[in-house]
Amino acid sequence: MINTPGVSLLPDGLMGFAYLMFLGYLFLGISISADIFMEAIDVITSQTSLVSTEPDEEGKVYQIELPVWNPTMANLSLMAFGSSAPEIILSVLEALKDLGSPSGDLGPSTIVGSAAFNLLIISAVSIAAVGDGDNSVKKIDMMGVFLTTSFFSVFAYIWLFLCLSVNTPGEVTVEEAGWTFGFFFILLILAFGTDKYASIKKKNLEK
């Protein structure tokens, strides 16, 4: 619609305003679709199951609700996929559009920009939002999981630099792509292990 013949003859100020409104319309569509997607993921991860407890001293058995999904695994897989869905879709579309020819900078730029925003801005806002006031004590509940995810967040940038600037400048080989995909599962395994270790340690301290 914007590229209709004759539109380019309109004043620059009017065209700039039209492009700005159209860009806002696109962002609105992305936000609506992403919000629906995140709500669907939230429904999936909030599922619970009834588990019977061991009989107490009086022989009574109780049923308690336990989450089906491990919170750490849900955050690192489904929730991460949902929040990064727009960038992933853009990267896939660019790769399919330029299939058979060198890809552009859209894919790496969106992924790196999104990761930097999540790592820095969202972490800062989350820390500032937690607590009752400026002097409240803020503590990380599971330090092992935090350190694991922090290490892999920084390592992702180092690995990207090694792939694109050191090992094979300007391109990504199938082996590098396979290693990158494998690192994700290594992250999940290590994070799940540290989560379980922290849970067991917490239960022992409560006893």
Side-chain angles (χ1 to χ4, degrees):
M1 180 179 65
I2 291 180
N3 293 324
T4 305
V7 172
S8 60
L9 300 177
L10 296 174
D12 293 341
L14 180 60
M15 289 303 301
F17 179 76
Y19 279 121
L20 184 62
M21 292 295 101
F22 185 65
L23 185 63
Y25 178 77
L26 294 178
F27 274 115
L28 180 62
I30 293 174
S31 66
I32 293 174
S33 59
D35 186 54
I36 295 174
F37 191 46
M38 290 299 293
E39 286 181 359
I41 292 176
D42 188 49
V43 171
I44 295 173
T45 56
S46 61
Q47 292 180 350
T48 58
S49 62
L50 291 175
V51 178
S52 300
T53 62
E54 295 181 359
D56 57 10
E57 296 178 355
E58 298 178 358
K60 294 182 179 180
V61 177
Y62 301 93
Q63 286 189 328
I64 58 175
E65 256 188 327
L66 293 178
V68 176
W69 279 83
N70 179 274
T72 299
M73 300 298 289
N75 288 331
L76 292 178
S77 56
L78 290 178
M79 299 299 287
F81 177 74
S83 62
S84 300
E87 305 93 84
I88 296 173
I89 294 174
L90 283 175
S91 301
V92 172
L93 288 177
E94 186 194 33
L96 295 177
K97 180 175 67 70
D98 300 330
L99 200 62
S101 60
S103 60
D105 297 331
L106 180 61
S109 299
T110 54
I111 298 300
V112 172
S114 172
F117 186 86
N118 294 337
L119 180 63
L120 302 175
I121 305 300
I122 293 183
S123 297
V125 172
S126 300
I127 293 172
V130 173
D132 298 329
D134 296 334
N135 297 325
S136 60
V137 178
K138 301 170 184 179
K139 181 181 178 181
I140 298 174
D141 188 26
M142 293 187 176
M143 182 60 70
V145 176
F146 173 76
L147 293 177
T148 302
T149 53
S150 298
F151 170 78
F152 274 87
S153 298
V154 177
F155 175 74
Y157 288 99
I158 299 174
W159 176 249
L160 183 64
F161 173 76
L162 292 176
C163 292
L164 296 179
S165 298
V166 179
N167 297 336
T168 53
E171 64 176 342
V172 178
T173 63
V174 176
E175 291 78 11
E176 291 172 340
W179 275 105
T180 305
F181 190 66
F183 286 142
F184 173 69
F185 293 98
I186 295 175
L187 166 63
L188 292 180
I189 293 172
L190 292 178
F192 182 75
T194 53
D195 177 271
K196 286 299 181 182
Y197 174 76
S199 300
I200 294 173
K201 187 178 180 180
K202 186 176 181 180
K203 290 181 179 178
N204 293 333
L205 291 176
E206 290 177 353
K207 291 180 180 180

